[in-house]
Amino acid sequence: MKNKYTLLFILPMMWSCSKDEVYIAVPLQLNVPSNFPPLAYNISQNPPTEKGFELGKKIFYDGRLSSDGDISCSFCHIQQNAFTHHGHTVSHGVNNASGTRNSPSIQNMAFQTQFMWDGAADNLDFQPVIPLLSAIEMNGNFANIIAMMKADPNYVRLFGQAFSNKEINTENMFKALSQFMVMNISANSRFDKYRRNEPGGTLTTDELAGYVVFKAKCATCHATDLFTDNSFRNNGLTVNPMVNDVGRYRLTQLQQDYYKFKVPSLRNVEVTAPYMHDGRFGTLEAVLNHYSNAVANSVTLDPVLNQNGTLGIVLSSTEKTQIIAFLKTLTDNQYLTDTRFSE
């Protein structure tokens, strides 16, 4: 009798587990902030759902995607630092290998059209391919990754719930990652509340003065409330002869793209040090000192940094202090601690 009732108990449990794999298309609401430009990502091709987002987050935090089983996407993209690799000059990967570039943030990627410092990816769904396959980042192997996922009951369940075809393949894997990244919107800093005239949006005299200086001297490149115009520019950094990173030229092979890198967003910049494509500056003060005193001339130097033979941007010490005060109003603590994006 005991064995009979044990069997009857197990069978319903097995049946309920298989039912968990039913496709669950519960959409996630994606609200574009009123002070933001329109979405660049084609949301109709891959609308975020609860299970798609959950699957994407699981993939994002899973070190098993890398060849050594340790390096996940989150290793170089830490939430409390706006998903950058805070404190690391350049990215580190499998077997402690070092790259040559600083890890960019993944915030507000749904509003961007090109990704990576040199624009090597122009579709968010395909952007993760680059770090996944990089020998010095994750050094992943798609066949091994898919085999691992097919052997993991949690992945089997989530793929079944996230996609109507239930298939565990690279297309669905990247769509899930995109759903996770698309929802990563940082738009609740004190500055945002100031711009939207919301409670908590009061700026101090110095912060407001810094905003005025910023708009006059920095907003050509760091444009809109995204604080980037998504362009590629040579900002006058001296070339590191040990690396000689030629920037966007590596991709396009066009002479005019030598030493041009993507203009990064300044959102949450207070917590994303070090700065520049190679992480050479550890403080915001050092960044402003570069623009005021150390811009190096070259054929492809951005024209805004060479006005009538005068290199750089004229900034007084007071203006630098005010700009930094303003930049700190872009810190979005709600985003940096939002448990939706946490492991």
Side-chain angles (χ1 to χ4, degrees):
M1 290 294 293
K2 181 178 180 180
N3 288 340
K4 177 182 177 180
Y5 284 112
T6 301
L7 180 60
L8 289 174
F9 176 75
I10 291 174
L11 286 175
M13 288 295 290
M14 292 174 65
W15 177 83
S16 67
C17 287
S18 65
K19 293 291 284 184
D20 283 345
E21 298 170 23
V22 173
Y23 175 50
I24 304 174
V26 179
L28 288 177
Q29 186 68 34
L30 194 154
N31 297 314
V32 176
S34 61
N35 57 319
F36 272 32
L39 284 174
Y41 185 77
N42 187 350
I43 204 75
S44 65
Q45 296 296 312
N46 185 28
T49 63
E50 287 185 359
K51 291 302 178 181
F53 176 88
E54 183 181 344
L55 173 60
K57 182 166 76 169
K58 178 175 174 60
I59 295 170
F60 183 83
Y61 283 102
D62 195 342
R64 292 178 295 171
L65 273 65
S66 66
S67 61
D68 65 2
D70 290 328
I71 306 299
S72 65
C73 302
S74 64
F75 180 79
C76 288
H77 299 284
I78 303 167
Q79 182 183 4
Q80 58 263 38
N81 301 111
F83 290 98
T84 62
H85 207 184
H86 176 67
H88 289 252
T89 303
V90 294
S91 60
H92 288 185
V94 294
N95 302 315
N96 204 33
S98 292
T100 58
R101 293 176 177 172
N102 186 255
S103 297
S105 173
I106 65 167
Q107 62 190 350
N108 299 328
M109 294 182 80
F111 300 90
Q112 303 175 40
T113 55
Q114 291 174 296
F115 310 95
M116 317 298 285
W117 281 105
D118 54 10
D122 59 6
N123 187 314
L124 185 58
D125 292 347
F126 303 135
Q127 183 278 330
V129 172
I130 298 172
L132 263 172
L133 297 184
S134 169
I136 58 174
E137 292 188 55
M138 298 177 73
N139 194 36
N141 177 285
F142 286 151
N144 293 343
I145 292 170
I146 296 303
M148 176 272 290
M149 290 178 170
K150 287 182 176 180
D152 185 324
N154 288 323
Y155 272 124
V156 173
R157 173 179 58 82
L158 280 171
F159 273 95
Q161 294 173 334
F163 297 102
S164 58
N165 62 14
K166 306 181 186 298
E167 292 184 12
I168 300 178
N169 55 30
T170 54
E171 179 183 358
N172 285 344
M173 177 177 76
F174 289 128
K175 281 186 174 181
L177 276 170
S178 286
Q179 290 185 36
F180 175 72
M181 290 188 287
V182 160
M183 295 302 296
N184 270 260
I185 295 177
S186 176
N188 282 300
S189 66
R190 194 152 47 89
F191 169 78
D192 291 302
K193 294 172 184 176
Y194 164 79
R195 287 280 285 158
R196 297 193 295 257
N197 195 29
E198 295 174 354
T202 302
L203 302 188
T204 67
T205 301
D206 271 350
E207 290 164 351
L208 287 169
Y211 187 29
V212 171
V213 177
F214 182 89
K215 287 189 290 185
K217 300 189 176 185
C218 310
T220 299
C221 304
H222 297 287
T224 77
D225 283 3
L226 291 178
F227 291 91
T228 175
D229 64 355
N230 290 309
S231 67
F232 299 87
R233 299 175 185 254
N234 177 347
N235 65 343
L237 294 173
T238 56
V239 178
N240 180 350
M242 299 296 292
V243 179
N244 191 28
D245 190 336
V246 294
R248 187 159 170 77
Y249 174 81
R250 187 172 71 177
L251 180 71
T252 67
Q253 296 294 296
L254 297 174
Q255 295 292 320
Q256 62 263 34
D257 285 335
Y258 258 111
Y259 306 121
K260 290 185 178 181
F261 297 89
K262 187 178 179 185
V263 176
S265 170
L266 298 182
R267 285 187 161 272
N268 295 299
V269 70
E270 179 184 10
V271 298
T272 62
Y275 307 107
M276 302 299 178
H277 69 274
D278 55 5
R280 68 176 64 190
F281 297 134
T283 65
L284 292 172
E285 288 82 359
V287 171
L288 293 181
N289 287 340
H290 159 73
Y291 284 116
S292 64
N293 304 317
V295 168
N297 199 7
S298 67
V299 173
T300 61
L301 177 66
D302 198 277
V304 300
L305 296 175
N306 188 355
Q307 299 290 324
N308 301 316
T310 300
L311 297 179
I313 303 171
V314 177
L315 291 169
S316 68
S317 58
T318 297
E319 287 175 325
K320 291 177 184 178
T321 299
Q322 291 171 337
I323 289 174
I324 291 173
F326 165 68
L327 291 176
K328 291 181 178 181
T329 71
L330 305 181
T331 302
D332 182 355
N333 289 307
Q334 177 180 325
Y335 173 69
L336 302 178
T337 58
D338 193 328
T339 55
R340 291 179 302 161
F341 310 128
S342 303
E343 186 172 10

